[in-house]
Amino acid sequence: RLDDPAAAARLMRDAIRDGEYERRLPAIRAARRLVLERYGLFPTLSDIVARRHDALAGAPSRAHEVVLSRRAWRGSRPSRALSYALESAVCAARRRFPSLRPD
């Protein structure tokens, strides 16, 4: 409890000694994944946009679809990662060598 610092310190020492964090790590990871993939800002916005779009179009809901981060999008297919890497290389070359820029 917060109003008893000695008891709180004892509780923390016992938890560290007993390996409570390591024992609960799978549940912590699962909860983190849920927050990032289901309850986070972008998945929530994606769900709201999909539901409103589908309601206007009269189509069935696509609530299972999510907006992927750039890293997740590249990792979802190797061809996407290759395309992104090539585009980045071309942009970097154009910045470094202005003569390569299209007119």
Side-chain angles (χ1 to χ4, degrees):
R1 293 189 44 151
L2 295 177
D3 57 349
D4 186 3
R10 187 172 47 255
L11 183 65
M12 286 187 271
R13 278 194 300 273
D14 292 346
I16 292 169
R17 183 192 66 230
D18 296 340
E20 291 296 324
Y21 176 78
E22 291 80 10
R23 188 171 64 80
R24 297 176 188 197
L25 192 56
I28 293 169
R29 286 184 175 147
R32 180 180 185 273
R33 188 174 47 253
L34 271 177
V35 167
L36 291 175
E37 295 176 3
R38 187 168 180 185
Y39 303 118
L41 175 65
F42 290 109
T44 301
L45 288 175
S46 174
D47 185 46
I48 291 168
V49 168
R51 279 189 280 129
R52 290 198 179 176
H53 175 74
D54 292 340
L56 292 174
S61 177
R62 296 184 315 237
H64 65 281
E65 295 181 15
V66 296
V67 175
L68 298 175
S69 68
R70 186 180 303 172
R71 181 178 182 193
W73 181 81
R74 286 189 315 248
S76 65
R77 287 197 193 135
S79 61
R80 289 179 177 170
L82 182 61
S83 171
Y84 180 80
L86 181 60
E87 180 183 350
S88 296
V90 167
C91 289
R94 286 181 178 164
R95 279 193 305 272
R96 187 163 184 190
F97 305 106
S99 62
L100 296 177
R101 293 183 186 158
D103 292 355

